[in-house]
Amino acid sequence: MPRKFFNFVVLLLSLALVLAACGGQDTSAPADPGADADEQEETAEEPRGEQTLIFARGGDSVSLDFASVTDGESSRVTKQIFETLVEFEPDSFEVKPGLAHDWDISEDGLSYTFYLRQGVKFHDGTDFNADAVIFNFERWSDPDHPYHFAEEGFDYSVYGSLFGGFKGDEGHVIEEIVKHDDYTVEFKLKRPMAAFIQNLGANYFAIASPASFEEYGPQITENPVGTGPFVFKEWRKNDTIILEKNPDYWQEGLPKLDRIIFKVIPDNSARFTALRAGEIDIMDGLNPDDVPVVESDPNLQLFERAPNNVGYLGFNVQKPPFDNPKVRRALNHAVNKEALIAGLYNNLAIPAKNPVPPGYLGYHDGIEEYEYNPELAKQLLAEAGYPDGFEFDLWTMPVARPYMPDPEKAAEALQEDFRKVGLTANIVTKEWATYLEETQEGKQDVFMLGWSGVNGDPDYFLYNLLSGYAIPGGNRTFYDNPEVNELLVQAQNILDPDERAAVYRKAQEIIHEDAPWIPLVHNTPVLAGRSHVKNYVPHPSTSESLMYVELE
């Protein structure tokens, strides 16, 4: 039945991640990464001395109201401030209690009843309870809610994608949310949804203080108030975000750190220099070429995430000549992925041929990848009416991401690949928030981007990135195939994993033929830290809680 099915999904993904770990994943496991919250409460000890962790990254957060944005640099921070009804284990997508200590799922999969923790306070001193849960889901789902802030640009695109739309939409899966008492809340669904409880664990759906919206209004993006282990202190744009320990956190003895400073250092090499000099404690976006240096330095340690991502080039299929599938297939044949991986990923990545990573439910291993074949690319371009090629803009990310450790060099390599088949690619880059905003608006020709899974379910990749219903939103190619749309909606509602996997495989076959992307890589992201950092576990979602981390 439903709970049994969800456990099966979790088991599949957990198994995949364990297998990935056997290939060289994180070696810095905590003393007991699988322990649940109660067990951690029993064993937690007070940290010794000053406990300020400086975490350096390539780009700034876009917003600290993560429900209204999609970038990982935002969730990296909000993960420390906010909490969700259910949480994931530190190293997998296995669901465990969060702000709800338990839950029941009806046999027909149409009712989820959550039992909330009592005595939990938001950082502003107000109570966490059923009213707070309902408030947050209503402000995300209801465009007429006074705190939806649509006119201020809040769009909650992931909510719409994962829950079938918004209040009033035919596809919106939530029928109503019922408060049974102050600490019991029931979600009634219109139809079964296979990934419902996995979705609730995603960082997007963390619970914020209702009172904070009254105080800050749309400025909530810079004034986050949650129940989490750290309290927001200060944000200096494009420089630092400072969080401080929540002295009233509901998990006794946690967090261990007194303060976290998220520091922006855009250049990978400069970030690594700062780490080696002891100016920072952890850095994201380590150049793969620097891995041997880390491994040979006793003052440093290496962290690896599970390869839970896809890096891709997307075509704006509404713009000529990229509205022609033959052109898109030609460009797929023009890219030498093996050379890209050898040159920029230090062989830590594998070539991608599907939009979802291997190991996910429904991953289609039978898809035949577009081979690297410049002559075939030129032939297809000629057949499409472009024997002399054409010129286009290649939008390139300004920041390193888990799936793209050095976007500038990657763009230069791709530019050279395209030159060899008679195409002129002009590299264009913009500030990160602007890049995301304008690609969502469709201003690009061809763009570099990627996606990391946040809930362990294939729907998060396929529906968000390639469904016509995710326009505007995560679907920045504007690809809108009615048959694919129908399959992706159908898959959301199927509880049998084998049937669901078959539907996803069919969708991937069509997507492969239509070629709205050039799937590039599934990467094993690497991070580096000083040796005195203990209990840091990179989560597959790219955003991990730092509550167990301490410095020795």
Side-chain angles (χ1 to χ4, degrees):
M1 299 315 292
R3 179 187 280 261
K4 182 178 179 182
F5 165 66
F6 291 128
N7 288 340
F8 180 78
V9 172
V10 168
L11 178 62
L12 276 179
L13 185 62
S14 298
L15 177 60
L17 296 177
V18 168
L19 290 173
C22 293
Q25 293 304 303
D26 176 39
T27 57
S28 59
D32 186 6
D36 62 21
D38 293 336
E39 291 171 330
Q40 292 288 357
E41 288 175 18
E42 293 175 359
T43 59
E45 296 179 357
E46 287 295 324
R48 290 171 291 182
E50 178 64 29
Q51 293 282 305
T52 296
L53 179 85
I54 302 178
F55 193 123
R57 54 201 182 138
D60 203 1
S61 301
V62 173
S63 166
L64 298 183
D65 177 45
F66 191 56
S68 59
V69 292
T70 60
D71 67 298
E73 295 303 348
S74 293
S75 69
R76 188 192 301 282
V77 176
T78 59
K79 179 65 180 173
Q80 319 309 324
I81 301 170
F82 296 103
E83 295 173 299
T84 45
L85 292 180
V86 298
E87 298 281 349
F88 299 123
E89 292 289 352
D91 58 353
S92 75
F93 287 111
E94 185 175 355
V95 173
K96 68 173 187 174
L99 287 175
H101 62 79
D102 201 1
W103 56 92
D104 293 325
I105 306 174
S106 66
E107 290 294 313
D108 60 8
L110 296 176
S111 171
Y112 291 71
T113 301
F114 292 92
Y115 305 98
L116 311 180
R117 295 186 189 275
Q118 300 187 32
V120 176
K121 297 280 188 182
F122 289 106
H123 300 159
D124 58 10
T126 58
D127 290 332
F128 163 75
N129 51 32
D131 290 331
V133 174
I134 294 171
F135 172 91
N136 278 272
F137 275 85
E138 288 187 343
R139 76 121 174 158
W140 298 325
S141 66
D142 185 356
D144 295 325
H145 192 278
Y147 299 113
H148 191 78
F149 301 137
E151 293 183 356
E152 287 80 7
F154 291 45
D155 67 9
Y156 314 104
S157 62
V158 176
Y159 180 95
S161 296
L162 295 188
F163 294 115
F166 297 91
K167 186 176 182 179
D169 293 343
E170 182 179 350
H172 187 218
V173 72
I174 299 176
E175 176 74 37
E176 63 175 330
I177 305 175
V178 180
K179 173 185 174 183
H180 290 297
D181 59 43
D182 284 347
Y183 296 98
T184 307
V185 62
E186 179 186 6
F187 288 73
K188 293 187 174 181
L189 307 188
K190 297 175 183 175
R191 62 182 187 282
M193 172 169 264
F196 186 73
I197 204 159
Q198 294 294 120
N199 290 348
L200 294 186
N203 295 331
Y204 297 103
F205 309 120
I207 306 301
S209 161
S212 67
F213 289 84
E214 296 180 16
E215 181 172 359
Y216 297 112
Q219 298 307 311
I220 196 71
T221 55
E222 299 178 15
N223 297 279
V225 181
T227 61
F230 294 95
V231 179
F232 173 74
K233 178 67 174 179
E234 182 181 7
W235 186 357
R236 299 172 188 167
K237 293 292 179 69
N238 295 313
D239 184 10
T240 55
I241 292 177
I242 301 174
L243 310 181
E244 294 190 340
K245 178 177 185 174
N246 176 4
D248 302 317
Y249 188 50
W250 58 272
Q251 295 198 61
E252 187 177 350
L254 296 174
K256 295 185 177 182
L257 294 170
D258 296 309
R259 186 178 298 105
I260 304 172
I261 299 174
F262 290 99
K263 185 173 182 59
V264 177
I265 303 177
D267 181 72
N268 289 5
S269 297
R271 210 157 52 249
F272 188 46
T273 298
L275 180 73
R276 300 183 73 183
E279 297 169 0
I280 61 176
D281 299 298
I282 297 179
M283 64 164 288
D284 195 7
L286 179 71
N287 281 329
D289 289 346
D290 291 327
V291 168
V293 179
V294 175
E295 292 176 326
S296 65
D297 189 336
N299 295 313
L300 302 179
Q301 57 182 317
L302 186 71
F303 305 104
E304 296 183 2
R305 292 189 193 278
N308 176 41
N309 56 57
V310 60
Y312 65 90
L313 283 188
F315 303 108
N316 185 339
V317 303
Q318 293 186 342
K319 276 190 174 183
F322 305 107
D323 56 347
N324 185 337
K326 186 167 286 188
V327 170
R328 304 195 295 262
R329 294 183 200 117
L331 269 68
N332 265 275
H333 285 295
V335 171
N336 188 342
K337 297 178 193 176
E338 296 289 354
L340 186 71
I341 289 170
L344 298 179
Y345 290 84
N346 197 24
N347 293 315
L348 288 169
I350 61 172
K353 59 182 180 180
N354 289 311
V356 293
Y360 266 75
L361 179 73
Y363 175 81
H364 199 326
D365 202 28
I367 292 285
E368 186 175 349
E369 186 178 356
Y370 289 103
E371 64 171 330
Y372 172 57
N373 189 333
E375 292 305 314
L376 179 55
K378 286 190 278 190
Q379 177 185 327
L380 290 173
L381 286 170
E383 292 174 4
Y386 299 97
D388 300 321
F390 54 82
E391 185 173 342
F392 65 94
D393 287 342
L394 171 59
W395 285 39
T396 304
M397 296 184 303
V399 296
R401 303 299 305 136
Y403 39 80
M404 192 64 69
D406 195 331
E408 183 179 354
K409 287 186 178 177
E412 291 170 355
L414 293 165
Q415 184 183 49
E416 179 61 16
D417 282 345
F418 293 134
R419 186 194 64 77
K420 292 176 180 175
V421 299
L423 301 174
T424 301
N426 303 311
I427 296 174
V428 172
T429 192
K430 297 172 181 284
E431 187 270 333
W432 184 223
T434 303
Y435 187 92
L436 294 174
E437 179 181 347
E438 294 192 357
T439 50
Q440 186 166 310
E441 294 171 352
K443 295 182 178 178
Q444 70 282 10
D445 293 333
V446 178
F447 65 104
M448 176 191 299
L449 209 58
W451 199 248
S452 297
V454 300
N455 64 355
D457 194 90
D459 179 69
Y460 183 73
F461 282 86
L462 291 165
Y463 191 97
N464 266 303
L465 301 177
L466 291 159
S467 164
Y469 301 116
I471 302 171
N475 184 348
R476 288 172 162 83
T477 64
F478 298 85
Y479 171 67
D480 189 6
N481 183 316
E483 187 177 3
V484 171
N485 296 342
E486 183 177 344
L487 289 168
L488 296 182
V489 172
Q490 181 184 346
Q492 289 180 336
N493 305 329
I494 298 174
L495 298 183
D496 181 272
D498 292 334
E499 292 180 15
R500 193 166 181 241
V503 174
Y504 280 131
R505 283 194 289 270
K506 176 63 177 175
Q508 286 168 85
E509 290 172 3
I510 300 171
I511 292 166
H512 179 76
E513 184 66 18
D514 289 343
W517 286 11
I518 302 175
L520 293 175
V521 299
H522 304 295
N523 184 37
T524 298
V526 284
L527 305 89
R530 300 291 298 180
S531 58
H532 62 232
V533 175
K534 305 299 179 186
N535 300 337
Y536 174 69
V537 181
H539 193 268
S541 68
T542 75
S543 297
E544 52 276 336
S545 173
L546 300 175
M547 77 169 91
Y548 303 116
V549 174
E550 60 183 325
L551 308 179
E552 289 186 351

